[in-house]
Amino acid sequence: MPALDSSILSVFLLAGDQPVSGDRLAKDLGVSRVAIWNRLERLREEGFIFKASTRKGYILSAIPTVLHPALLDAHCVRLKISTPIEFLKETDSTNSEAERRLANGQEAPFVVLAQTQTAGRGRLGRKWHSSDQGNIYLSLALRPFISPEKLKPLTLWMGLVLCAQIEAQLEIKLGLKWPNDILSPDGKKIAGILTEARMDADTVRDLIFGLGINVTFSETIPAEIKTVAGSLSQVTGKSLDINTVTAQIIKTIEQAWEDFTEDLWINRFKDYWSRYDILTGKTVTIHLRGQPTTGVVEGIDYDGSLLLKINNGKIISISSGEVSLADK
Ligand code: BTN
């Protein structure tokens, strides 16, 4: 009965360090004391610790370190998240799972969230390390029916909002490397975005916003990833609760998408860009149709394309690609 677990955990979250009595829980949730006792036992097996208090009742004193559907749900209720969340222990890729569900007619929007992925995908055909349970792998599935032209700045907007929200929530500094990498102050990749779309005539029928965020790396992280990627726990120097962080991230992307569709993003975009962009004024190399092109970043144009001043002084506009910094 996961809904009951979620309601029980909501009461504990709200109570903080105040004891919650079993009797009270049973009365408030309209179930028997035995049902509450059984659920508490089950939750204990899943990593929760409820300490008996001398002031009558229990205090929630430890939670699981991995995503837990009922705990996540309790946070989502607290944050008033309305998008349904499909929680999976494991999938190939949350983007692929979202794509299949959209193709099968599932009503959108919805979020697919997985504890691990067996075939996590990154941009430009790369793999996304997805075996660590301490990270976030999720996809927001949408049916926007908007022109592809109008959707062009979306990924950039979502990345900027995520920088702003995570910074505010965790009191850290982050930067955005066009088009969609969220970096730590020492230039390590903390998060990446993979947006995929299916067109119908000249509108986008299905849109999948895929997001991978490194929250806490395990000890077994491959060395080649360690050198280029970092995690939010490393940046904050604290251990973070994956369920709280995930719920906040889902709330953020839900709100950012709503602001985008209601055209409420335009005014905030410029300010966010000036705060989080790390490329303007820097010399970069970008591969255009396989050819490396070097230039100085001048900024972005109205649709989010990168403006690059190349050797002959000409400014070219680039809509996609991988940028490497020459003067890191
Ligand atoms: C990148 O920086 O190359 C984008 C990485 C995107 C990874 C996320 S994890 C959740 C979603 N499912 C996938 O297979 N990929 C995205």
Side-chain angles (χ1 to χ4, degrees), residues 92-96 117 119-124 126 128 130 136-139 180-181 189 191-194 210-212:
D92 51 353
S93 148
T94 54
N95 269 32
S96 305
Q117 300 181 119
R121 295 186 275 118
R123 286 174 64 238
L124 310 166
R126 296 201 187 110
W128 185 258
S130 307
I136 298 174
Y137 315 106
L138 68 77
S139 301
N180 63 0
D181 288 354
K189 184 152 165 172
I193 297 168
L194 179 66
L211 176 65

Side-chain angles (χ1 to χ4, degrees), residues 17-312:
D17 55 8
Q18 295 304 309
V20 173
S21 101
D23 278 357
R24 186 82 258 151
L25 267 177
K27 262 205 201 97
D28 289 353
L29 301 178
V31 293
S32 67
R33 281 170 53 193
V34 175
I36 295 289
W37 191 86
N38 283 340
R39 296 321 301 174
L40 292 183
E41 275 310 293
R42 266 299 258 291
L43 288 168
R44 280 190 179 103
E45 284 163 21
E46 292 167 5
F48 293 87
I49 298 180
F50 302 97
K51 265 208 320 231
S53 157
T54 47
R55 287 176 290 151
K56 272 204 177 157
Y58 301 100
I59 294 171
L60 176 60
S61 66
I63 52 172
T65 54
V66 296
L67 276 171
H68 184 280
L71 181 56
L72 179 77
D73 189 62
H75 285 297
C76 290
V77 169
R78 177 176 60 81
L79 295 174
K80 300 188 172 56
I81 290 170
S82 55
T83 312
I85 299 168
E86 310 290 348
F87 177 88
L88 302 166
K89 270 187 158 329
E90 185 171 278
T91 187
D92 51 353
S93 148
T94 54
N95 269 32
S96 305
E97 178 63 26
E99 191 184 332
R100 289 189 289 268
R101 285 171 182 254
L102 284 171
N104 285 339
Q106 181 161 333
E107 198 182 323
F110 60 89
V111 166
V112 177
L113 174 70
Q115 263 178 358
T116 58
Q117 300 181 119
T118 52
R121 295 186 275 118
R123 286 174 64 238
L124 310 166
R126 296 201 187 110
K127 280 191 187 152
W128 185 258
H129 173 75
S130 307
S131 53
D132 268 328
Q133 291 188 343
N135 301 328
I136 298 174
Y137 315 106
L138 68 77
S139 301
L140 171 65
L142 304 155
R143 292 189 207 276
F145 290 100
I146 295 177
S147 77
E149 224 23 59
K150 211 172 164 209
L151 280 172
K152 269 187 177 169
L154 175 71
T155 302
L156 214 49
W157 163 247
M158 298 291 256
L160 290 169
V161 176
L162 282 163
C163 282
Q165 184 270 334
I166 299 171
E167 258 201 21
Q169 211 85 50
L170 301 180
E171 297 175 346
I172 51 171
K173 281 230 77 61
L174 292 174
L176 187 90
K177 181 171 160 251
W178 183 94
N180 63 0
D181 288 354
I182 296 179
L183 304 186
S184 63
D186 61 355
K188 289 199 165 167
K189 184 152 165 172
I190 302 290
I193 297 168
L194 179 66
T195 308
E196 296 178 310
R198 212 180 86 194
M199 313 290 197
D200 207 3
D202 50 5
T203 58
V204 177
R205 189 194 164 86
D206 296 347
L207 184 74
I208 298 163
F209 173 81
L211 176 65
I213 304 185
N214 304 327
V215 179
T216 310
F217 278 150
S218 68
E219 297 293 311
T220 55
I221 183 102
E224 70 272 18
I225 290 176
K226 239 188 213 164
T227 52
V228 293
S231 69
L232 290 175
S233 301
Q234 283 165 354
V235 182
T236 55
K238 291 182 198 153
S239 65
L240 298 171
D241 166 25
I242 182 96
N243 289 285
T244 304
V245 177
T246 304
Q248 283 161 346
I249 294 293
I250 295 173
K251 179 72 189 172
T252 302
I253 59 173
E254 180 184 85
Q255 186 64 53
W257 169 247
E258 206 178 299
D259 291 349
F260 189 82
T261 53
E262 289 172 8
D263 284 343
L264 296 174
W265 64 284
I266 300 164
N267 293 337
R268 274 151 62 206
F269 187 94
K270 223 168 142 192
D271 169 44
Y272 282 173
W273 176 255
S274 65
R275 271 161 58 189
Y276 299 113
D277 155 53
I278 59 153
L279 291 183
T280 301
K282 301 242 171 79
T283 302
V284 302
T285 298
I286 183 155
H287 285 260
L288 294 173
R289 287 173 292 286
Q291 280 292 103
T293 305
T294 297
V296 177
V297 175
E298 292 278 307
I300 45 169
D301 67 9
Y302 67 96
D303 69 354
S305 297
L306 193 75
L307 298 172
L308 193 67
K309 191 175 194 172
I310 53 176
N311 282 346
N312 61 6

